[in-house]
Amino acid sequence: MGWLDMAITAGIWALEILAIAVPVALTVAYTTYIERRVIGIMQIRKGCNRVGPFGLLQPLADGLKLFLKETIIPTNANKLLFIAAPVMALVPALVAFAVVPFGETRLFGIWDEAHVMAVAHLNVGLLYVLAIGSLSIYGVLMAGWASNSKYALIGAVRATCQMISYEISMGFALVCVLMLAGSMDLAKIVDAQAGGFWHWYIIPLFPMFLVYFISGCAESNRTPFDLVEGEAEIVAGHIVEYSGMWFATFSLAEYGAMILISLLTCILFLGGWHAPIEALDFIPGTVWLLLKAAFFIFVFIWFRATFPRYRYDQMMRLGWKIFLPWTLGWVAVLGICTYAGELNHSLQFLSDMIGFYQPWRS
Amino acid sequence: MGAEYLANEYIPIFIFILVALGMGAAPLLITVFVAEQKPDREKLSAYECGFEAFEDARMHFDVRFYLVAILFVIFDLETAFLFPWAVVLDQIGMFGFIEMMLFLIILLVGYIYAWNKGALQWE
């Protein structure tokens, strides 16, 4: 391969990456706007409507304001970790988007076969997402410890404990998806759900869908699991010592994680870029995926306007005593259903029902 | 599935990490130069609701957080085993499924023990 080819390849990669990273950053900015407007409407008030038409320039104004705020690095803080923490929080939230498939394209018929629209089409995409998602804990922990402030430390310990607790049930819910799809390739998981909404994994895995989405709320520290920042007791937790743009970087990471969870919920349980019925296939797949994801972002905001915050013991009980046995049990149930027909012929109907969702069994 | 696959799929991820580092670090750098900085001793001390900060902030915390972390290691390892198992379920068949169920039952005993001991209890 000559240097020209390599330069062209690298250029295409750079364009692909920017085509994902920049819209993600913009979506994050406008999710904050949508959140304020939607919560405003839900509480029968206006929300932000001053800056620009319908307040549409509000996120820009907020960004500008944050840029002009002073940077405060406490004297007692561990400088290196304190500076690295916001970046460490943001990087996993962005990098996870590298494997998210946004659809399939033939590029208006130029390509003979459909290509998956993702920066990296990994055969272990699901594992990658889980692994990178876990890294976001480091940003929180580093921020809390490096600040050398009591509130920050307590917040960070709580946050870590909460995030690792819910990661387990999240992992088990993903195992259920894998048992049906038989592949960690996100595009193959979507393809296994092709052909109408009755093929979607939300039907055989409805409890796992709930567990995954709720664990997603807990992982991204959103209401009702935002006791990590609990204003009333620990005044924002691990981010208490951060100011201006440094503080905003943590928010960016939080909203990025929220958008990622929404996209993944659609990809894993709601048929990704497939239309609910084939008659609607004329609308491009990417539009479907983004519409479904937008709905889940709305649900996140809806949660925030509706539910009061959990107490810490309630939250730990939900994660360890309800979700964990529930997801483990569902793994066993799925496996038993898969092989029931081999054990006893009269139970063949169970295997057939599950086999309908398992492309590897036909 | 050789070197070319690795290069094609993983180098973009590496570049993405660099881009993300840039996107994270650039605003932080810019804000330090753009914004007016007027530090003073009070402003740079740790926030403690108006008190002078007393004691070291890195104090003891509840041992239950450790317990949860240890339990997490066990169960996360379990998911790490389940992931490849679920992918090759078509090849290992019922035998593989029963093997994994035995493994899960052994872990379940530990889980029930932890539950009864109150390791999952937060009053």
Coordinates of all heavy atoms in Angstrom, one line a residue, chain A residues 48-87:
Chain A
C48 N -36.4 27.7 29.3 CA -35.6 28.8 28.7 C -36.1 29.2 27.3 O -36.2 28.4 26.4 CB -34.1 28.4 28.6 SG -33.9 26.7 27.9
N49 N -36.5 30.4 27.2 CA -37.1 30.9 25.9 C -36.6 32.3 25.6 O -37.2 33.0 24.8 CB -38.6 30.9 26.0 CG -39.2 31.8 27.0 OD1 -38.4 32.3 27.8 ND2 -40.5 32.0 27.1
R50 N -35.5 32.8 26.2 CA -35.1 34.2 26.0 C -34.0 34.3 24.9 O -34.1 35.2 24.1 CB -34.5 34.7 27.3 CG -35.5 34.9 28.3 CD -36.4 36.0 28.0 NE -37.7 35.9 28.7 CZ -38.6 36.8 28.8 NH1 -38.4 38.0 28.3 NH2 -39.7 36.6 29.5
V51 N -33.0 33.4 24.9 CA -31.9 33.6 24.0 C -32.2 33.0 22.6 O -32.3 31.8 22.5 CB -30.6 32.9 24.6 CG1 -29.4 33.3 23.8 CG2 -30.4 33.2 26.0
G52 N -32.4 33.9 21.7 CA -32.7 33.4 20.3 C -34.1 33.0 20.2 O -34.9 32.9 21.2
P53 N -34.6 32.6 19.0 CA -36.0 32.1 18.9 C -36.2 30.8 19.7 O -35.4 29.9 19.6 CB -36.1 31.8 17.4 CG -34.7 31.7 16.9 CD -33.8 32.5 17.8
F54 N -37.3 30.8 20.5 CA -37.6 29.7 21.4 C -36.5 29.3 22.3 O -36.4 28.2 22.8 CB -38.0 28.4 20.6 CG -39.1 28.7 19.5 CD1 -38.7 28.7 18.2 CD2 -40.4 28.9 19.9 CE1 -39.7 29.0 17.2 CE2 -41.4 29.1 19.0 CZ -41.0 29.2 17.6
G55 N -35.6 30.2 22.5 CA -34.4 29.9 23.4 C -33.4 29.0 22.8 O -32.6 28.4 23.5
L56 N -33.4 28.9 21.5 CA -32.6 27.9 20.8 C -31.1 28.1 20.9 O -30.3 27.3 20.8 CB -33.0 27.8 19.3 CG -34.1 26.8 19.0 CD1 -34.5 26.9 17.6 CD2 -33.6 25.4 19.3
L57 N -30.7 29.4 21.2 CA -29.3 29.7 21.3 C -28.8 29.5 22.8 O -27.7 29.8 23.1 CB -29.0 31.1 20.8 CG -29.3 31.3 19.4 CD1 -29.1 32.8 19.0 CD2 -28.5 30.4 18.5
Q58 N -29.7 29.1 23.7 CA -29.4 29.0 25.1 C -28.1 28.1 25.3 O -27.2 28.5 26.1 CB -30.6 28.4 25.9 CG -30.4 28.3 27.3 CD -30.4 29.7 28.0 OE1 -31.2 30.5 27.7 NE2 -29.5 29.9 28.9
P59 N -28.0 26.9 24.7 CA -26.8 26.1 24.9 C -25.5 26.8 24.5 O -24.5 26.7 25.2 CB -27.0 24.9 24.0 CG -28.5 24.8 23.8 CD -29.0 26.2 23.8
L60 N -25.6 27.6 23.5 CA -24.4 28.4 23.1 C -24.0 29.4 24.1 O -22.9 29.6 24.5 CB -24.6 29.1 21.7 CG -24.8 28.1 20.5 CD1 -25.0 28.9 19.2 CD2 -23.7 27.2 20.4
A61 N -25.1 30.1 24.6 CA -24.9 31.2 25.6 C -24.3 30.5 26.9 O -23.4 31.1 27.5 CB -26.2 31.9 25.9
D62 N -24.8 29.4 27.2 CA -24.3 28.7 28.4 C -22.8 28.3 28.2 O -22.0 28.5 29.1 CB -25.1 27.4 28.7 CG -26.5 27.7 29.3 OD1 -26.6 28.8 29.8 OD2 -27.3 26.8 29.2
G63 N -22.5 27.8 27.0 CA -21.2 27.4 26.8 C -20.2 28.6 26.9 O -19.2 28.5 27.5
L64 N -20.6 29.7 26.3 CA -19.8 30.9 26.3 C -19.6 31.4 27.7 O -18.5 31.7 28.1 CB -20.5 32.0 25.5 CG -19.7 33.2 25.1 CD1 -18.5 32.8 24.2 CD2 -20.5 34.3 24.5
K65 N -20.7 31.3 28.5 CA -20.6 31.8 29.9 C -19.6 30.9 30.7 O -18.7 31.4 31.4 CB -21.9 31.7 30.6 CG -21.9 32.2 32.0 CD -23.1 31.8 32.8 CE -23.0 30.3 33.2 NZ -24.1 29.9 34.1
L66 N -19.7 29.6 30.4 CA -18.8 28.7 31.2 C -17.3 28.9 30.8 O -16.4 28.7 31.6 CB -19.2 27.2 30.9 CG -20.5 26.8 31.6 CD1 -21.1 25.5 31.0 CD2 -20.2 26.6 33.1
F67 N -17.1 29.2 29.5 CA -15.7 29.5 29.0 C -15.1 30.6 29.8 O -13.9 30.7 30.0 CB -15.7 29.8 27.5 CG -15.3 28.6 26.7 CD1 -16.1 28.1 25.8 CD2 -14.0 28.1 26.9 CE1 -15.8 27.0 25.0 CE2 -13.6 27.0 26.1 CZ -14.5 26.5 25.2
L68 N -16.0 31.6 30.1 CA -15.4 32.8 30.8 C -15.4 32.8 32.3 O -15.1 33.8 32.9 CB -16.3 34.0 30.3 CG -16.3 34.3 28.8 CD1 -17.3 35.3 28.4 CD2 -14.9 34.6 28.3
K69 N -15.6 31.6 32.8 CA -15.5 31.4 34.3 C -14.1 31.1 34.7 O -13.4 30.3 34.0 CB -16.5 30.4 34.7 CG -18.0 30.8 34.6 CD -18.3 31.8 35.6 CE -19.8 32.3 35.4 NZ -20.1 33.5 36.2
E70 N -13.8 31.5 35.9 CA -12.5 31.2 36.4 C -12.3 29.8 36.7 O -13.2 29.1 37.1 CB -12.3 32.0 37.7 CG -10.9 32.0 38.3 CD -10.8 32.9 39.5 OE1 -11.7 33.7 39.7 OE2 -9.9 32.7 40.3
T71 N -11.0 29.3 36.5 CA -10.7 27.9 36.8 C -10.1 27.9 38.2 O -9.2 28.6 38.5 CB -9.6 27.4 35.8 OG1 -10.1 27.5 34.5 CG2 -9.2 26.0 36.2
I72 N -10.7 27.0 39.0 CA -10.2 26.9 40.4 C -9.7 25.5 40.7 O -10.3 24.5 40.5 CB -11.4 27.2 41.4 CG1 -11.8 28.6 41.3 CG2 -11.0 26.9 42.8 CD1 -13.1 28.9 41.9
I73 N -8.4 25.5 41.0 CA -7.7 24.3 41.4 C -7.4 24.4 42.9 O -6.4 25.2 43.2 CB -6.5 24.0 40.5 CG1 -6.9 23.9 39.1 CG2 -5.8 22.7 41.0 CD1 -5.8 23.6 38.1
P74 N -8.0 23.7 43.8 CA -7.8 23.9 45.2 C -6.3 23.6 45.6 O -5.7 22.7 45.0 CB -8.7 22.8 45.9 CG -9.7 22.5 44.8 CD -9.1 22.7 43.5
T75 N -5.8 24.3 46.6 CA -4.4 24.2 47.0 C -4.1 22.8 47.5 O -3.0 22.3 47.3 CB -4.1 25.2 48.1 OG1 -5.3 25.7 48.6 CG2 -3.2 26.3 47.6
N76 N -5.1 22.2 48.2 CA -4.8 20.9 48.8 C -5.0 19.7 47.8 O -4.8 18.6 48.1 CB -5.8 20.6 49.9 CG -5.4 21.5 51.1 OD1 -4.2 21.8 51.2 ND2 -6.4 21.8 51.9
A77 N -5.5 20.0 46.6 CA -5.8 19.0 45.6 C -4.6 18.3 45.1 O -3.5 19.0 45.0 CB -6.7 19.5 44.5
N78 N -4.7 17.1 44.6 CA -3.6 16.4 43.9 C -3.7 16.9 42.5 O -4.6 16.5 41.7 CB -3.9 14.9 44.0 CG -2.8 14.1 43.3 OD1 -2.3 14.5 42.3 ND2 -2.4 13.0 43.9
K79 N -2.8 17.8 42.1 CA -3.0 18.6 40.8 C -3.1 17.7 39.6 O -4.0 17.9 38.8 CB -1.8 19.5 40.7 CG -1.6 20.5 41.7 CD -2.5 21.7 41.6 CE -2.2 22.8 42.6 NZ -2.1 22.3 44.0
L80 N -2.2 16.7 39.5 CA -2.2 16.0 38.3 C -3.6 15.2 38.1 O -4.2 15.3 37.0 CB -1.1 14.9 38.3 CG -0.9 14.1 37.1 CD1 -0.5 15.0 35.9 CD2 0.1 13.0 37.3
L81 N -4.0 14.5 39.1 CA -5.3 13.8 39.0 C -6.4 14.7 38.8 O -7.4 14.5 38.1 CB -5.5 12.9 40.2 CG -4.6 11.7 40.3 CD1 -4.9 10.8 41.5 CD2 -4.8 10.8 39.0
F82 N -6.4 15.9 39.5 CA -7.5 16.8 39.5 C -7.7 17.4 38.0 O -8.8 17.5 37.5 CB -7.2 18.0 40.4 CG -8.3 18.9 40.6 CD1 -9.3 18.7 41.5 CD2 -8.5 20.1 39.8 CE1 -10.4 19.6 41.7 CE2 -9.5 20.9 40.0 CZ -10.5 20.7 40.9
I83 N -6.5 17.6 37.4 CA -6.6 18.1 36.0 C -7.0 17.0 35.0 O -7.8 17.2 34.1 CB -5.2 18.7 35.6 CG1 -5.0 20.0 36.3 CG2 -5.1 18.9 34.1 CD1 -3.6 20.5 36.3
A84 N -6.5 15.7 35.3 CA -6.8 14.6 34.4 C -8.2 14.1 34.5 O -8.8 13.6 33.5 CB -5.8 13.5 34.6
A85 N -8.9 14.3 35.6 CA -10.2 13.7 35.9 C -11.3 14.1 34.9 O -11.9 13.2 34.3 CB -10.6 14.0 37.3
P86 N -11.5 15.4 34.5 CA -12.6 15.6 33.6 C -12.3 15.0 32.2 O -13.3 14.5 31.6 CB -12.5 17.2 33.5 CG -11.7 17.7 34.5 CD -10.8 16.6 35.0
V87 N -11.1 15.0 31.8 CA -10.8 14.4 30.5 C -11.0 12.9 30.6 O -11.6 12.3 29.7 CB -9.3 14.7 30.1 CG1 -9.0 14.1 28.7 CG2 -9.0 16.2 30.1

